[in-house]
Amino acid sequence: MRSIKSGEKGFFIEEGGRQLAEITYTPVDENTLSIDHTYVSEELRGQGIAKQLVEKVIDKARGENKKIIPICFYAQTLLKDNKNYEDVLKSGSL
């Protein structure tokens, strides 16, 4: 399993100086994060990496008692279809 690293405004997987996957978020206000971009390279697709990246942001939001507005399509789909994430989803954001 590849290691997911924390960046300034997101999480990523890097190997050999190449970024293979990433998720970025933007603080909307002191209580809210917006997931605005998720990317997984061809070589990592189909391994659940995008979900792991979104879950890293979810863990961060829960740890900081924040809500999430999913802007990127993948995050919207994942958060909308999973009852386990209702606690972090900002009301009315979908």
Side-chain angles (χ1 to χ4, degrees), residues 1-83:
M1 181 176 197
R2 292 188 162 92
S3 173
I4 297 175
K5 299 174 184 172
S6 179
E8 189 174 321
K9 290 189 179 177
F11 296 92
F12 62 95
I13 296 174
E14 187 178 76
E15 195 171 272
R18 289 181 36 231
Q19 195 154 314
L20 300 177
E22 73 174 337
I23 188 165
T24 58
Y25 57 83
T26 304
V28 175
D29 58 37
E30 63 185 38
N31 300 310
T32 312
L33 300 174
S34 170
I35 297 176
D36 42 38
H37 174 70
T38 305
Y39 166 76
V40 177
S41 66
E42 281 282 326
E43 63 196 271
L44 295 184
R45 288 187 187 155
Q47 299 177 37
I49 301 294
K51 182 178 180 184
Q52 291 174 37
L53 291 168
V54 172
E55 288 177 341
K56 284 287 196 180
V57 179
I58 289 169
D59 290 345
K60 177 180 178 57
R62 284 180 175 150
E64 297 176 2
N65 199 30
K66 294 184 180 185
K67 298 292 184 185
I68 294 173
I69 297 172
I71 301 298
C72 97
F73 180 75
Y74 180 80
Q76 286 177 2
T77 302
L78 187 66
L79 289 167
K80 177 179 71 170
D81 294 339
N82 193 322
K83 301 282 185 210

